[in-house]
Amino acid sequence: AKIMPLFGPSFNGAKLKVCLKLCITRLQMLQKKKENQGVLSRKEIATLLGKNKEELARIRVEQIIRDDYVVEVLEILELYCTLLTSRFGLIEAVKECDPGLMESVQTIMWCAPRLQAEVNELKQIAHAFGVRYGKEFIRQAMSNLDDTEDAQPGSGKVSARVMHKLTDYTPKASLVDNYLVAIAQTYGVEYIPPIRPPEADLLGGSANPTASAPTLFDFPSAPLGTASGAGATQHLPIPTNFPGSDYPDRKSTRLNS
């Protein structure tokens, strides 16, 4: 019969620090790669506009916008990893997550299953934090909940900007227009965007919804347009494939730590 281990995996601080540094390098390389791909894609879109293939150009621009969102997320994650590396002593010294690191840690854990195909180090980092802080901490990070009993959706510390950038899969038509205008101007192609009614007229509400609270790294939106509606990303599906069965239950061990 298979013998189950008496204790779960132990926290390895040295391995986590190495993973953080490797992740920073990987994030920088991926940003550069996507930026170079974006330049080539913009040239191709300018060619489509020159041939009056606007509908095809709009489809291609939507993908560029999504890629720009991902690049912005990669930049934020790079800063989070840099912050965690510089304050690594707090991670090793204290078994509870320091409040000043909470946003960085939980955002990385939330992003891990969504970006692990391109940045595998995120999965390893998230696993290490799960071992360090326990099952309940994983649940809070993946659900974006705080540690209170009556926690409300969106009450956690995961960056609202990051969540919005990774879940807004359909760019607004006005944002697509802005991208097309900028591309046409850059490459000397004539393009006149269609006239669109204000969003307030279409939706029956205000065109300027209340902005969400600023986060630790409050970056500007994607270039040439602002994507609103960050508050609408609070109710999100929780990934079911995130590892967690072998993590310690921090509540049950807190008194003995």
Side-chain angles (χ1 to χ4, degrees), residues 219-238:
F219 288 84
S221 298
L224 308 175
T226 301
S228 62
T233 60
Q234 294 179 352
H235 300 278
L236 297 171
I238 302 173

Side-chain angles (χ1 to χ4, degrees), residues 11-77:
F11 174 71
N12 188 329
K15 182 177 179 180
L16 173 58
K17 193 169 187 178
V18 170
C19 283
L20 285 169
K21 292 181 177 180
L22 290 174
C23 189
I24 292 173
T25 302
R26 177 87 67 181
L27 290 168
Q28 292 172 342
M29 293 174 59
L30 191 55
Q31 289 172 50
K32 189 65 175 178
K33 178 182 177 181
K34 287 187 175 294
E35 287 168 358
N36 291 337
Q37 291 174 342
V39 172
L40 295 176
S41 297
R42 282 167 168 79
K43 291 180 180 179
E44 294 173 356
I45 290 171
T47 301
L48 291 174
L49 290 177
K51 296 179 180 179
N52 295 321
K53 296 182 178 180
E54 181 181 343
E55 291 303 319
L56 184 55
R58 296 187 70 86
I59 295 173
R60 297 290 300 275
V61 163
E62 289 183 1
Q63 184 57 50
I64 286 182
I65 294 173
R66 296 186 190 99
D67 289 342
D68 282 352
Y69 282 178
V70 172
V71 169
E72 184 176 345
V73 170
L74 297 177
E75 292 173 353
I76 296 174
L77 292 177

Side-chain angles (χ1 to χ4, degrees), residues 9 40 47 56 77 97-98 107 126 168 176 213:
L40 295 176
T47 301
L56 184 55
L77 292 177
C97 187
D98 184 89
T107 302
D168 188 12
V176 175

